[in-house]
Structures are given as C-alpha cells and as structure tokens.
Amino acid sequence: MLLVLIRESVFTKISNLKSEENKSMKKTIALIISFIMLLSVFGITAGAAVQKGTYGDFKYIVTDKNSVTVTKYTGKSNEITFPAKIKGKTVTAIGSKIFYSNEQLKSVIIPEGVKTIKEYAFFRCSNLESVRLPESLTSIAAYAFIGCKKLKSIEFPKNLSKLGTNVFVACESLKEVTIPQKLTVIPDRTFEGCISLQKVNLHDSITAINYGAFMYCTSLEEIKLPKKLSSIEISVFIGCHSLKSISIPDSVTKIDSFAFSNCDSLERIKLPNKLKSIGIAAFGSCTSLKNIYLPKSLSAIGSYAFEGCTKLEKISGGKGVTEIGSTILRKTPFSRNKANWKNGALYYRTWLVDLKKNVKGNFKVKEGTTVISYDAFNSCKKLTGVYLPKSVVGVNTTVVAYTASCFDSPSLKKITVSQDNKYFKSVDGILYSKDMKTLYRYPAAKSEKSFSISKSVKVIINGAFSGCNNLVKISFHPDSAAVIGDYSFDECENLCDITVTKRVTVEQYAGLGWNSKKSKEEIIKTLKIKGNSSNKSLMKYLELYGLNDCFVPLCKDGSENHTLKTAKAKAPTYFSKGYAAFKYCTVCKEKIGVKHIARKQLPSSTVTVKSSDGKLKIKYNAINGADGFQLLIVSKNGGKKITKTFNTENSKNVTIGNLERGEYFVAFRVFKKDGKTAYSNWTWKNTDKSKTVFTVK
C-alpha cells in the first residue's frame, strides 16, 4: 500500500511540470518510478513487520512467500493434526514451546512439508503417547520432547539429519529406537533417563555419540556400536544397569570418564585394538565384570578406572601402558587379597598401583616396575626418600581430570634414579626427564631456601613445587623459555620472591603465591614477583589474581641490575588525580607501586545557598582554571533531580525557581574541558561535615 501511495504522489508531481523547462526533472522522476516498480515486483519492503495470522485454532507467522511456522495452539483437543497448508502457504516448522507443559495432549500428527520442530515444542507433554513425523522432517531442536513420559515409540524419518541436545530426556515409556542413516551424531544427553529403552539400532553412519547420550537408560540390554565411531564420550552409558555385554569397534581410540560406570550387569566387554586411553572411573563399579583384556595400543588408564569392580579377577594385556591414575584397582578381589601386598605396596604385573599410608623412610620401587600410580606416595606422610629403578617409564598421568605429581609426600627430601634409566634423571634429589627438559618434582621437604631453574627446563609439570614450605626464592634463567604448569607453586607457605623472565609462560593456574592459609592482603604484603611487563602470560596471571601490587619489573635486558628510586608524590588537583610516592627503575623507567589519590574536592565556602519564597538563591566564586560549574539539586525523598551548568569566569548569583515544596540536597563541582572533560569531586557537605540540606516552603 505504501508503494502505491508513493507512486501516485510522484505521478501527480510529474503531470504538473511544464514540458520544456522540466525535462531534466521528468527524467529523474521517471528513474525513481522505475525503481519503485521494481520494488513492488520483487516485494522488497525495507523493515517490513513480521506477518502474523490465525488459522482455526492455530496461530502462525509467515517466514517467506511460500512458508509459515505454526507458533501456538489455542484449542482444547488432546489429538492434534497440524495443517499442511495455511492460506496457500506450506507449514514448514513447528514453533518453540507450542505445547510447553501441556498435560492434555495425547497424540500428534505432523504433515508432510514440515522440516523443523523447534526448541521445547512438546516439552513435558506428560500424557503424549504417539507422534507421527513426516518424511520431510530434517531437524528436531533441543529439548523438543523432554519429559514426554508416556511416549512409547517414535519412528524417525529417513531425512532426519540433525538432533539438538536433550531431545528425549526422561521419555520413560520409550522402548526401542532406530536412528536414521543421515544422522551422524547423537548429541549430548539425547536419551538420558529413558528407563524403558531396551534396544537402540544405530547405522554405521554415526561417527560420534556425545556426553551422556544413553545415561541411566536402565533397561538397555543391547546396543551395536557403529564401525566409524571414534570415541566413547563422558558418561555415555553410565548407570545402564541392564547392559550385559558390549563390543567396541576398532575405530575407537578413547573411552572417556565414567563411560560405563555403574553398569552393574556388564559381564563382557571387548576393547578395540587401537584403544589409547581409558578415562576416570570408566568401568567403576561394574560389579559383574570378571575379566578384561587390555590391548597393546593402550598407553593410559585414568584414576578409579576399575575401582569397585568387585568380581574382577583378571586383567590381561596392557604391556604398552605408561600412565596409570589413582587406585585403579581399589575394591577389587586383587586389591583385597592381603597376599598381593608386599612391604606396604600393591603391584599389579609391572605397575605400582597403591601404597599404604604407613610406609615411611626410604622406599625402593621394585626392579621391573614400569609405571607408578599418579598419587602412589602422596598419602605417605613419613616417606623421606624414593628410589626409581631403570625399568620405570611413567610416573605421572595426563588422563586424570586433576593431574599432579605422584611425589607429594610432605616429608620427602630426595628422589633418586638409577643411572641406567632411559627416561628420568635425578639431580640433587630433584626429578627431571633424562634430557633435563622437564622438571617433574622438587621434593617438598628439601631444606634449601632458594632454587634457580636452569635454562634447559622447558616444562614444569603440574604441582612440581607444591607444598615446598622451605622455599623462599625461585628464579628462572634469563634465557629460560619454560612453561609453568598449573598449581606448580601451590601452598608454598614461605615463597615470597619469584623471578619470572621474559620468555617464561605462566599457565592460568600456575599458583604463584597461592596459599590457602593466607588472605590476598597478606600475600600482597610479602610477595614480590619480578618479571617483565612484555611477558603477556605473566601480566594476565597477575591481573587475574589481583596480584599486580606484587609485581616488580626486570630491566629490559632481562637482568636484575635495575636500581629503584623513590619519586616525589604528586598532589591532586580539582581536575587530575595525584599519586602517593612510588618507585621507578632508573634503567628501564618503569613505575612500581603507583597509588593514585582521588581528585580534590571544592571547599564548602565556594558556594553559598539560601532558600526563600520557594526559590534557592545561590552565590558562587570563580575557580581558576575551571571552564564550567555544575550544580545538582536532589529532593530528599529521592525524587526530582535538577542539574544546572554555569560559566565560572566570574562570581555570580543564580536563582533556581519553580521548585516544589520539600527538602533538597545541594551539591556542586567544577569541570575543565581539556580533551576529555574532567570534573572535581562533588561537594555535598557543609564545613561542619553535615550534608547541605535546604527547605523550600
């Protein structure tokens, strides 16, 4: 309609023009008309509003010239058939929350043409028993059928290629599903809590089954995993109490944390030949599992992997394992057998799995041991020394959620290593990799107060210095390019002098100065972190933990040869902040410990205010250097506010009238326009420090 009106107006204008003198104008307007007609032909209307409508008991919106989305149902029927077309346009989507928590709905038929079911469409339709999906459907968005407790079956169309997360959570009556071939991923928690689900048919097109997809499907008895699956993700089958056997295809290289935890009927499991890692508690509390074969490809087993497997009598294979987590065999028949414990240690084949808390003095790891559990020695509070034989290849694991050194005993003074060991080396009781590029552990009870990290060290393992209470000073070689791992310096109670040079990388949770027994204020008072402001990871760390005040810059040459000099304090003015005395480096000129003082406040004598006849009469004196003067009047009840700005070149009398009766606070400040406007602080108080209050009668 708007286009028609514009066109008619333009035609009226052009008909009134004289033939010769307006030829140019006629050509211009003719071009405008052509453009307008193009707009009308193609239906281009800038900023057009969304078209809405009602069709029977359905509300809808027009999404394009041929399609509509049904957005609401206003009827009361419990059996719904959606229309295929509305006013000649195809229904292509079922809108979000259209039947949100509808407890009457029992059956739904969705017609051909619909491609999308949007978020929460049938969320908690607790009496919904049947849904017929069209072959045209390609996607079902997140939470669409969550909590549909009586939905017994659903037949997915062959064109379905996308599911959102949590789509069928707590569909407690659903018994069997067949996943269509075009669907390649089963998203997070798709069938979580489907307690009647007994059988799942998966096509080999599936490449990923994501977090918790079948968690707590307590009736699930069988599932054949697709051949192209690359990993078993976190908690995928946790709590599947009826699952008795599983064969994992050779394409899988990783079984993630809690994947089969609490599958207490699981008796048989075939692990893939290319499996590299088993995550935390992956088979925890699988109380029916009696034996398992670990493939040669397996290198890492996470903490608690088989803990609580009360019938697990035999683990075979696993010759390639180089990393094991904490207590992987606790509460198994093997760990409960006292005969398997020798001198307070539990070995399984060539793995040192666990140590008793009462182990003390110097402990010698048995010759032939290849792997040590990540926290094997941590609970041994009286352990003073550890010897590693030449056979050891692994002492730390990366497959646990919280990696840490296995040598966290608080009394440990030294770690020694056989000279014939190919992987580790001990220097002055400190454990390194053989090439000295990795620092694994600085024993917590070493007596030295300072330690300098050599140039060769490239990586400091997580927790490497944690609990080293004798250390006061740590420094890095000026040319060091080491990476400080997470929690490296946690709980070092007396560490207060840390030199981090330019190329050192500080991880987010490095633990510089971190101590749970001290407040941040106490840490800032004693801690001195020396570094270079061009070290971005260091500056980010200091900012993150509010330790900026602890930072002392090194000179630009990376050395500590700077001389600190105290600068004079700068007094604040009305328009700029001053600062307390600070120190600065005489070599690199960087400022240290700058503390700003707030801008100056105007004296109360600058302004005098009187009230009479329903007015405020204000007199103020000129302020040198000020460009303007601001007055703020606020009613005491928090209502009306008036801001007035005046020129301050000369002293003036100002009258503010038209004020309602009541009490008012009065404040004032001056400003200066120098690039950005700078204001003095507001002055609210009288000379006797009471707030300035005036009554208008």
PDB file of all heavy atoms in Angstrom, residues 623-647:
ATOM      1  N   ILE A 623      36.530  29.886  40.033  1.00  0.00           N
ATOM      2  CA  ILE A 623      37.621  28.937  40.309  1.00  0.00           C
ATOM      3  C   ILE A 623      38.635  29.047  39.177  1.00  0.00           C
ATOM      4  O   ILE A 623      38.295  28.860  38.008  1.00  0.00           O
ATOM      5  CB  ILE A 623      37.082  27.492  40.391  1.00  0.00           C
ATOM      6  CG1 ILE A 623      36.024  27.367  41.484  1.00  0.00           C
ATOM      7  CG2 ILE A 623      38.215  26.504  40.627  1.00  0.00           C
ATOM      8  CD1 ILE A 623      36.534  27.594  42.874  1.00  0.00           C
ATOM      9  N   ASN A 624      39.860  29.328  39.516  1.00  0.00           N
ATOM     10  CA  ASN A 624      40.902  29.461  38.493  1.00  0.00           C
ATOM     11  C   ASN A 624      41.070  28.157  37.720  1.00  0.00           C
ATOM     12  O   ASN A 624      41.189  27.082  38.303  1.00  0.00           O
ATOM     13  CB  ASN A 624      42.235  29.839  39.143  1.00  0.00           C
ATOM     14  CG  ASN A 624      42.216  31.263  39.670  1.00  0.00           C
ATOM     15  OD1 ASN A 624      41.457  32.106  39.177  1.00  0.00           O
ATOM     16  ND2 ASN A 624      43.033  31.531  40.682  1.00  0.00           N
ATOM     17  N   GLY A 625      41.122  28.273  36.407  1.00  0.00           N
ATOM     18  CA  GLY A 625      41.356  27.111  35.549  1.00  0.00           C
ATOM     19  C   GLY A 625      40.119  26.312  35.203  1.00  0.00           C
ATOM     20  O   GLY A 625      40.176  25.389  34.399  1.00  0.00           O
ATOM     21  N   ALA A 626      38.977  26.634  35.781  1.00  0.00           N
ATOM     22  CA  ALA A 626      37.754  25.884  35.510  1.00  0.00           C
ATOM     23  C   ALA A 626      37.032  26.453  34.300  1.00  0.00           C
ATOM     24  O   ALA A 626      37.033  27.654  34.061  1.00  0.00           O
ATOM     25  CB  ALA A 626      36.839  25.918  36.728  1.00  0.00           C
ATOM     26  N   ASP A 627      36.424  25.583  33.511  1.00  0.00           N
ATOM     27  CA  ASP A 627      35.645  26.020  32.353  1.00  0.00           C
ATOM     28  C   ASP A 627      34.149  26.030  32.633  1.00  0.00           C
ATOM     29  O   ASP A 627      33.376  26.579  31.857  1.00  0.00           O
ATOM     30  CB  ASP A 627      35.906  25.081  31.166  1.00  0.00           C
ATOM     31  CG  ASP A 627      37.341  25.175  30.687  1.00  0.00           C
ATOM     32  OD1 ASP A 627      37.913  26.277  30.762  1.00  0.00           O
ATOM     33  OD2 ASP A 627      37.895  24.150  30.253  1.00  0.00           O
ATOM     34  N   GLY A 628      33.740  25.381  33.687  1.00  0.00           N
ATOM     35  CA  GLY A 628      32.312  25.313  33.968  1.00  0.00           C
ATOM     36  C   GLY A 628      32.053  24.919  35.404  1.00  0.00           C
ATOM     37  O   GLY A 628      32.938  24.439  36.116  1.00  0.00           O
ATOM     38  N   PHE A 629      30.824  25.168  35.813  1.00  0.00           N
ATOM     39  CA  PHE A 629      30.419  24.929  37.187  1.00  0.00           C
ATOM     40  C   PHE A 629      29.091  24.186  37.138  1.00  0.00           C
ATOM     41  O   PHE A 629      28.167  24.607  36.456  1.00  0.00           O
ATOM     42  CB  PHE A 629      30.261  26.271  37.906  1.00  0.00           C
ATOM     43  CG  PHE A 629      29.975  26.153  39.365  1.00  0.00           C
ATOM     44  CD1 PHE A 629      30.988  26.330  40.289  1.00  0.00           C
ATOM     45  CD2 PHE A 629      28.691  25.889  39.824  1.00  0.00           C
ATOM     46  CE1 PHE A 629      30.730  26.234  41.640  1.00  0.00           C
ATOM     47  CE2 PHE A 629      28.426  25.793  41.175  1.00  0.00           C
ATOM     48  CZ  PHE A 629      29.446  25.962  42.100  1.00  0.00           C
ATOM     49  N   GLN A 630      29.001  23.051  37.841  1.00  0.00           N
ATOM     50  CA  GLN A 630      27.781  22.257  37.829  1.00  0.00           C
ATOM     51  C   GLN A 630      27.135  22.245  39.191  1.00  0.00           C
ATOM     52  O   GLN A 630      27.811  22.087  40.205  1.00  0.00           O
ATOM     53  CB  GLN A 630      28.085  20.800  37.418  1.00  0.00           C
ATOM     54  CG  GLN A 630      27.408  20.425  36.134  1.00  0.00           C
ATOM     55  CD  GLN A 630      27.598  18.954  35.788  1.00  0.00           C
ATOM     56  OE1 GLN A 630      28.213  18.200  36.505  1.00  0.00           O
ATOM     57  NE2 GLN A 630      27.062  18.571  34.657  1.00  0.00           N
ATOM     58  N   LEU A 631      25.816  22.420  39.193  1.00  0.00           N
ATOM     59  CA  LEU A 631      25.045  22.399  40.424  1.00  0.00           C
ATOM     60  C   LEU A 631      24.046  21.251  40.333  1.00  0.00           C
ATOM     61  O   LEU A 631      23.406  21.058  39.304  1.00  0.00           O
ATOM     62  CB  LEU A 631      24.298  23.719  40.592  1.00  0.00           C
ATOM     63  CG  LEU A 631      23.562  23.931  41.914  1.00  0.00           C
ATOM     64  CD1 LEU A 631      24.563  24.211  43.033  1.00  0.00           C
ATOM     65  CD2 LEU A 631      22.608  25.110  41.783  1.00  0.00           C
ATOM     66  N   LEU A 632      23.926  20.471  41.412  1.00  0.00           N
ATOM     67  CA  LEU A 632      22.995  19.349  41.442  1.00  0.00           C
ATOM     68  C   LEU A 632      22.057  19.520  42.623  1.00  0.00           C
ATOM     69  O   LEU A 632      22.497  19.664  43.762  1.00  0.00           O
ATOM     70  CB  LEU A 632      23.751  18.021  41.576  1.00  0.00           C
ATOM     71  CG  LEU A 632      22.894  16.754  41.655  1.00  0.00           C
ATOM     72  CD1 LEU A 632      22.095  16.557  40.377  1.00  0.00           C
ATOM     73  CD2 LEU A 632      23.773  15.540  41.925  1.00  0.00           C
ATOM     74  N   ILE A 633      20.759  19.539  42.340  1.00  0.00           N
ATOM     75  CA  ILE A 633      19.737  19.674  43.377  1.00  0.00           C
ATOM     76  C   ILE A 633      18.889  18.400  43.350  1.00  0.00           C
ATOM     77  O   ILE A 633      18.322  18.053  42.315  1.00  0.00           O
ATOM     78  CB  ILE A 633      18.856  20.910  43.128  1.00  0.00           C
ATOM     79  CG1 ILE A 633      19.737  22.169  43.077  1.00  0.00           C
ATOM     80  CG2 ILE A 633      17.792  21.046  44.200  1.00  0.00           C
ATOM     81  CD1 ILE A 633      19.004  23.382  42.560  1.00  0.00           C
ATOM     82  N   VAL A 634      18.822  17.710  44.488  1.00  0.00           N
ATOM     83  CA  VAL A 634      18.103  16.445  44.577  1.00  0.00           C
ATOM     84  C   VAL A 634      17.127  16.516  45.733  1.00  0.00           C
ATOM     85  O   VAL A 634      17.511  16.845  46.858  1.00  0.00           O
ATOM     86  CB  VAL A 634      19.075  15.263  44.808  1.00  0.00           C
ATOM     87  CG1 VAL A 634      18.300  13.948  44.796  1.00  0.00           C
ATOM     88  CG2 VAL A 634      20.171  15.245  43.758  1.00  0.00           C
ATOM     89  N   SER A 635      15.853  16.217  45.464  1.00  0.00           N
ATOM     90  CA  SER A 635      14.880  16.220  46.553  1.00  0.00           C
ATOM     91  C   SER A 635      15.228  15.118  47.544  1.00  0.00           C
ATOM     92  O   SER A 635      15.685  14.041  47.165  1.00  0.00           O
ATOM     93  CB  SER A 635      13.463  16.027  46.014  1.00  0.00           C
ATOM     94  OG  SER A 635      13.334  14.781  45.378  1.00  0.00           O
ATOM     95  N   LYS A 636      15.019  15.380  48.805  1.00  0.00           N
ATOM     96  CA  LYS A 636      15.458  14.472  49.870  1.00  0.00           C
ATOM     97  C   LYS A 636      14.751  13.121  49.791  1.00  0.00           C
ATOM     98  O   LYS A 636      15.284  12.103  50.210  1.00  0.00           O
ATOM     99  CB  LYS A 636      15.210  15.120  51.230  1.00  0.00           C
ATOM    100  CG  LYS A 636      15.949  14.455  52.374  1.00  0.00           C
ATOM    101  CD  LYS A 636      15.773  15.233  53.667  1.00  0.00           C
ATOM    102  CE  LYS A 636      16.511  14.554  54.807  1.00  0.00           C
ATOM    103  NZ  LYS A 636      16.337  15.287  56.087  1.00  0.00           N
ATOM    104  N   ASN A 637      13.546  13.098  49.218  1.00  0.00           N
ATOM    105  CA  ASN A 637      12.810  11.836  49.120  1.00  0.00           C
ATOM    106  C   ASN A 637      13.250  10.996  47.916  1.00  0.00           C
ATOM    107  O   ASN A 637      12.646   9.984  47.582  1.00  0.00           O
ATOM    108  CB  ASN A 637      11.299  12.099  49.052  1.00  0.00           C
ATOM    109  CG  ASN A 637      10.910  12.940  47.838  1.00  0.00           C
ATOM    110  OD1 ASN A 637      11.695  13.114  46.909  1.00  0.00           O
ATOM    111  ND2 ASN A 637       9.695  13.469  47.859  1.00  0.00           N
ATOM    112  N   GLY A 638      14.315  11.451  47.244  1.00  0.00           N
ATOM    113  CA  GLY A 638      14.865  10.680  46.128  1.00  0.00           C
ATOM    114  C   GLY A 638      14.159  10.906  44.818  1.00  0.00           C
ATOM    115  O   GLY A 638      14.408  10.204  43.843  1.00  0.00           O
ATOM    116  N   GLY A 639      13.299  11.883  44.739  1.00  0.00           N
ATOM    117  CA  GLY A 639      12.530  12.138  43.522  1.00  0.00           C
ATOM    118  C   GLY A 639      13.251  13.027  42.531  1.00  0.00           C
ATOM    119  O   GLY A 639      14.205  12.643  41.883  1.00  0.00           O
ATOM    120  N   LYS A 640      12.836  14.293  42.468  1.00  0.00           N
ATOM    121  CA  LYS A 640      13.284  15.221  41.438  1.00  0.00           C
ATOM    122  C   LYS A 640      14.780  15.517  41.515  1.00  0.00           C
ATOM    123  O   LYS A 640      15.339  15.699  42.592  1.00  0.00           O
ATOM    124  CB  LYS A 640      12.492  16.524  41.560  1.00  0.00           C
ATOM    125  CG  LYS A 640      12.646  17.461  40.386  1.00  0.00           C
ATOM    126  CD  LYS A 640      11.639  18.599  40.472  1.00  0.00           C
ATOM    127  CE  LYS A 640      11.718  19.489  39.242  1.00  0.00           C
ATOM    128  NZ  LYS A 640      10.721  20.565  39.298  1.00  0.00           N
ATOM    129  N   LYS A 641      15.415  15.572  40.336  1.00  0.00           N
ATOM    130  CA  LYS A 641      16.822  15.968  40.237  1.00  0.00           C
ATOM    131  C   LYS A 641      16.941  17.089  39.220  1.00  0.00           C
ATOM    132  O   LYS A 641      16.344  17.038  38.149  1.00  0.00           O
ATOM    133  CB  LYS A 641      17.702  14.797  39.788  1.00  0.00           C
ATOM    134  CG  LYS A 641      17.859  13.695  40.815  1.00  0.00           C
ATOM    135  CD  LYS A 641      18.822  12.630  40.309  1.00  0.00           C
ATOM    136  CE  LYS A 641      18.981  11.513  41.323  1.00  0.00           C
ATOM    137  NZ  LYS A 641      19.917  10.469  40.837  1.00  0.00           N
ATOM    138  N   ILE A 642      17.733  18.103  39.567  1.00  0.00           N
ATOM    139  CA  ILE A 642      17.970  19.218  38.640  1.00  0.00           C
ATOM    140  C   ILE A 642      19.473  19.408  38.524  1.00  0.00           C
ATOM    141  O   ILE A 642      20.181  19.510  39.535  1.00  0.00           O
ATOM    142  CB  ILE A 642      17.322  20.527  39.136  1.00  0.00           C
ATOM    143  CG1 ILE A 642      15.801  20.362  39.268  1.00  0.00           C
ATOM    144  CG2 ILE A 642      17.657  21.693  38.203  1.00  0.00           C
ATOM    145  CD1 ILE A 642      15.125  21.533  39.929  1.00  0.00           C
ATOM    146  N   THR A 643      19.965  19.415  37.288  1.00  0.00           N
ATOM    147  CA  THR A 643      21.385  19.696  37.065  1.00  0.00           C
ATOM    148  C   THR A 643      21.496  20.968  36.247  1.00  0.00           C
ATOM    149  O   THR A 643      20.901  21.079  35.172  1.00  0.00           O
ATOM    150  CB  THR A 643      22.079  18.541  36.319  1.00  0.00           C
ATOM    151  OG1 THR A 643      21.879  17.334  37.053  1.00  0.00           O
ATOM    152  CG2 THR A 643      23.573  18.791  36.192  1.00  0.00           C
ATOM    153  N   LYS A 644      22.264  21.932  36.746  1.00  0.00           N
ATOM    154  CA  LYS A 644      22.481  23.196  36.054  1.00  0.00           C
ATOM    155  C   LYS A 644      23.978  23.405  35.848  1.00  0.00           C
ATOM    156  O   LYS A 644      24.784  23.113  36.731  1.00  0.00           O
ATOM    157  CB  LYS A 644      21.920  24.361  36.880  1.00  0.00           C
ATOM    158  CG  LYS A 644      20.402  24.334  37.068  1.00  0.00           C
ATOM    159  CD  LYS A 644      19.673  24.761  35.810  1.00  0.00           C
ATOM    160  CE  LYS A 644      18.176  24.874  36.046  1.00  0.00           C
ATOM    161  NZ  LYS A 644      17.446  25.279  34.818  1.00  0.00           N
ATOM    162  N   THR A 645      24.323  23.918  34.668  1.00  0.00           N
ATOM    163  CA  THR A 645      25.722  24.211  34.366  1.00  0.00           C
ATOM    164  C   THR A 645      25.874  25.703  34.097  1.00  0.00           C
ATOM    165  O   THR A 645      25.095  26.293  33.337  1.00  0.00           O
ATOM    166  CB  THR A 645      26.200  23.417  33.130  1.00  0.00           C
ATOM    167  OG1 THR A 645      26.009  22.022  33.391  1.00  0.00           O
ATOM    168  CG2 THR A 645      27.666  23.669  32.848  1.00  0.00           C
ATOM    169  N   PHE A 646      26.897  26.326  34.722  1.00  0.00           N
ATOM    170  CA  PHE A 646      27.109  27.763  34.590  1.00  0.00           C
ATOM    171  C   PHE A 646      28.556  28.047  34.224  1.00  0.00           C
ATOM    172  O   PHE A 646      29.464  27.269  34.495  1.00  0.00           O
ATOM    173  CB  PHE A 646      26.786  28.477  35.914  1.00  0.00           C
ATOM    174  CG  PHE A 646      25.430  28.153  36.459  1.00  0.00           C
ATOM    175  CD1 PHE A 646      25.280  27.305  37.535  1.00  0.00           C
ATOM    176  CD2 PHE A 646      24.295  28.701  35.870  1.00  0.00           C
ATOM    177  CE1 PHE A 646      24.030  27.005  38.037  1.00  0.00           C
ATOM    178  CE2 PHE A 646      23.032  28.407  36.373  1.00  0.00           C
ATOM    179  CZ  PHE A 646      22.898  27.551  37.453  1.00  0.00           C
ATOM    180  N   ASN A 647      28.748  29.229  33.638  1.00  0.00           N
ATOM    181  CA  ASN A 647      30.094  29.722  33.369  1.00  0.00           C
ATOM    182  C   ASN A 647      30.737  30.170  34.687  1.00  0.00           C
ATOM    183  O   ASN A 647      30.069  30.738  35.540  1.00  0.00           O
ATOM    184  CB  ASN A 647      29.997  30.908  32.398  1.00  0.00           C
ATOM    185  CG  ASN A 647      31.367  31.397  31.970  1.00  0.00           C
ATOM    186  OD1 ASN A 647      32.137  31.858  32.802  1.00  0.00           O
ATOM    187  ND2 ASN A 647      31.638  31.304  30.688  1.00  0.00           N
TER     188      ASN A 647
END
